[in-house]
Amino acid sequence: MENEKYTPRPEHKFSFGLWTVGNRGRDPFGDAVRPPLTPVEAVRMLGEIGAYGVNFHDNDLVPIDATPQERDRIVNEFRRACEENGVVVPMATVNLFYDPVFRDGAFTANDKSVRAYALQKTMRAMDLGAECGAKIFVLWGGREGVETDGCRRPDDAVKRLREALNYLCEYSLDRKYDYKFALEAKPNEPRADIYMPTTGAYLALISTLDRPEMVGVNPEVAHEHMAGLNMTHAVAQAWEAGKLFHVDLNDQIPGRYDQDLRFGSANPRAAFWLVKFLEDVGYTGPRHFDAHAYRTEDYEGVKEFARGCMRTYLILKEKAAQWNGDTEIRALLAGISETAGDERGNKFSTQHASELLSATFDRAGLASRGLNYERLDQLTIDILLGVR
Ligand code: GLT
Ligand code: MN
Ligand code: MN
């Protein structure tokens, strides 16, 4: 019997991209295995399984060569489907990677006309998103990279990226869209190397923009794990900087191609720390599942996949609450955090510094106390494996 407490509700803010549940299972070695799912069908499916939101790239919704009349008809149908199924559009994005025009990048391409076209396409995608109610605009620069560094100076690419972001912020202000931009990093794939490989790289770039307050990040589990990094650390740094505008949840085995697996299915322990962090700090943004079903599945299997993402999140949320309330864990944490120590390291003053310089520390004593992290982690594993 399905447990009520793992039933997704709107307040959980679970969202899926049209490209996620609509993924047809193509990979570099094989063709589509599922028939196309129209945007309206995808919205119905999301409503049926209890998701709160649907996100899209411009061309997930409106084909790249649609006439203005076709565009308006599609948008009207889609908005009606959203209303009828109780699904909202929290985020929109732009596809700057599929069309051959972007083979050398979009905002960083050497050809000025390609860069201008990328801006035009993005502004139109912002119009489209705003029409559907989106307040977050994700930018994933999958083609902003290289196979050979002979093609341009990498610092020129950074400058071009900055110019494009500045331009788009002004456009959002000009049109009173009130967008928050969320920049999504990835180390490689489809390019051999992508310029902004990690969330940290984007955080550094944001501080150099004209309007840094409008721009944050959209860390993705799979992308940080592809780089061998700790997703929770990336998310925590973004959060601490006030820059966690969106999050892409999925899973990934490090060292592999971009897998976009069901959330929590590859590394449930890492997923646990992530969910615990998001819940502990009170992140209120969408929990977006940027993943897709195995290639073996039909659309019933796709529903199982999508339900699984949400269910795992809710199970981990419950485990996080259990962890926080566990008396033995609490006692261990108290032991870790309540160590009284030397206060002169708290804040610099000339006096503190000179006192510290001449102080004597019991190095061996400080190093000798066991920290009990083994016990702490095993208790975590016991909780995760359901025996505690
Ligand atoms: C693409 C990519 C994702 C991005 C999407 C947004 S598109 O599927 O792999 O990580 O979030 O552009
Ligand atoms: Mn991905
Ligand atoms: Mn993503």
Side-chain angles (χ1 to χ4, degrees):
M1 206 182 72
E2 286 295 291
N3 200 327
E4 260 294 293
K5 60 188 174 181
Y6 305 134
T7 304
R9 290 190 304 271
E11 65 265 29
H12 297 132
K13 296 214 174 158
F14 292 137
S15 62
F16 290 85
L18 285 180
W19 70 93
T20 65
V21 286
N23 180 286
R24 299 181 58 201
R26 258 189 215 102
D27 69 21
F29 304 96
D31 211 343
V33 294
R34 291 184 281 270
L37 189 71
T38 66
V40 168
E41 287 168 337
V43 168
R44 271 191 215 125
M45 182 196 285
L46 292 176
E48 179 190 333
I49 63 173
Y52 141 93
V54 60
N55 308 311
F56 54 79
H57 299 88
D58 48 355
N59 305 135
D60 299 336
L61 185 58
V62 181
I64 195 164
D65 47 10
T67 64
Q69 292 76 13
E70 282 166 350
R71 174 208 185 271
D72 290 347
R73 182 185 51 77
I74 293 169
V75 174
N76 286 337
E77 261 180 36
F78 178 74
R79 290 179 58 179
R80 203 170 330 118
C82 287
E83 268 168 39
E84 283 168 9
N85 291 280
V87 174
V88 301
V89 177
M91 173 272 261
T93 181
V94 58
N95 187 323
L96 297 177
F97 44 90
Y98 194 81
D99 193 90
V101 70
F102 300 125
R103 70 200 196 284
D104 188 33
F107 300 142
T108 60
N110 285 341
D111 189 326
K112 221 174 184 166
S113 296
V114 172
R115 303 210 295 273
Y117 173 62
L119 284 176
Q120 181 205 64
K121 196 170 189 294
T122 305
M123 289 188 290
R124 289 181 176 173
M126 288 166 64
D127 298 347
L128 183 64
E131 234 176 291
C132 298
K135 288 285 174 217
I136 301 165
F137 199 88
V138 162
L139 285 166
W140 171 64
R143 294 279 172 202
E144 315 290 9
V146 298
E147 284 70 44
T148 169
D149 277 315
C151 67
R152 75 182 65 83
R153 268 177 52 165
D155 55 338
D156 283 340
V158 176
K159 288 187 174 67
R160 288 175 189 169
L161 215 41
R162 179 184 300 117
E163 275 169 26
L165 292 167
N166 286 337
Y167 196 109
L168 295 168
C169 285
E170 294 306 323
Y171 181 69
S172 179
L173 289 170
D174 197 53
R175 293 292 164 112
K176 306 206 170 15
Y177 283 157
D178 202 23
Y179 271 124
K180 282 188 170 294
F181 292 92
L183 310 180
E184 179 177 342
K186 188 175 180 182
N188 57 273
E189 214 183 316
R191 300 308 295 264
D193 289 290
I194 298 177
Y195 287 122
M196 293 288 145
T198 62
T199 297
Y202 265 135
L203 287 172
L205 178 72
I206 289 168
S207 63
T208 71
L209 298 177
D210 289 347
R211 300 191 184 271
E213 69 285 357
M214 294 175 65
V215 187
V217 290
N218 177 35
E220 172 170 317
V221 177
H223 298 177
E224 300 298 322
H225 287 190
M226 281 172 79
L229 300 177
N230 181 318
M231 169 69 170
T232 305
H233 293 187
V235 162
Q237 193 183 352
W239 173 263
E240 201 274 337
K243 292 294 178 195
L244 189 66
F245 289 3
H246 199 261
V247 68
D248 272 4
L249 304 174
N250 56 11
D251 219 341
Q252 170 78 32
I253 299 172
R256 308 266 170 108
Y257 62 94
D258 180 16
Q259 295 178 302
D260 289 337
L261 296 166
R262 191 178 73 256
F263 179 59
S265 63
N267 190 341
R269 185 167 173 273
F272 168 74
W273 295 122
L274 177 59
V275 170
K276 179 169 144 44
F277 182 83
L278 292 173
E279 297 300 322
D280 282 353
V281 299
Y283 168 76
T284 56
R287 275 80 171 158
H288 174 229
F289 297 106
D290 186 9
H292 50 76
Y294 303 146
R295 203 163 173 265
T296 48
E297 303 309 292
D298 61 9
Y299 280 111
E300 283 310 307
V302 171
K303 283 187 211 167
E304 280 307 309
F305 143 81
R307 287 194 179 105
C309 287
M310 299 187 285
R311 184 176 170 83
T312 297
Y313 188 100
L314 292 175
I315 294 170
L316 293 175
K317 180 178 168 177
E318 182 188 49
K319 299 277 181 194
Q322 185 187 347
W323 196 97
N324 287 337
D326 188 291
T327 25
E328 188 174 348
I329 289 179
R330 288 167 79 99
L332 285 172
L333 292 182
I336 294 163
S337 45
E338 278 175 15
T339 42
D342 199 306
E343 301 290 327
R344 290 167 300 186
N346 290 357
K347 189 165 168 49
F348 178 85
S349 74
T350 310
Q351 195 193 339
H352 276 168
S354 61
E355 280 176 23
L356 264 192
L357 283 167
S358 56
T360 312
F361 287 94
D362 175 15
R363 230 170 63 238
L366 287 171
S368 65
R369 190 168 65 91
L371 297 179
N372 277 326
Y373 293 173
E374 282 288 358
R375 180 70 188 149
L376 180 64
D377 197 66
Q378 187 57 42
L379 290 170
T380 307
I381 296 293
D382 279 9
I383 287 176
L384 285 180
L385 296 185
V387 297
R388 193 168 167 83

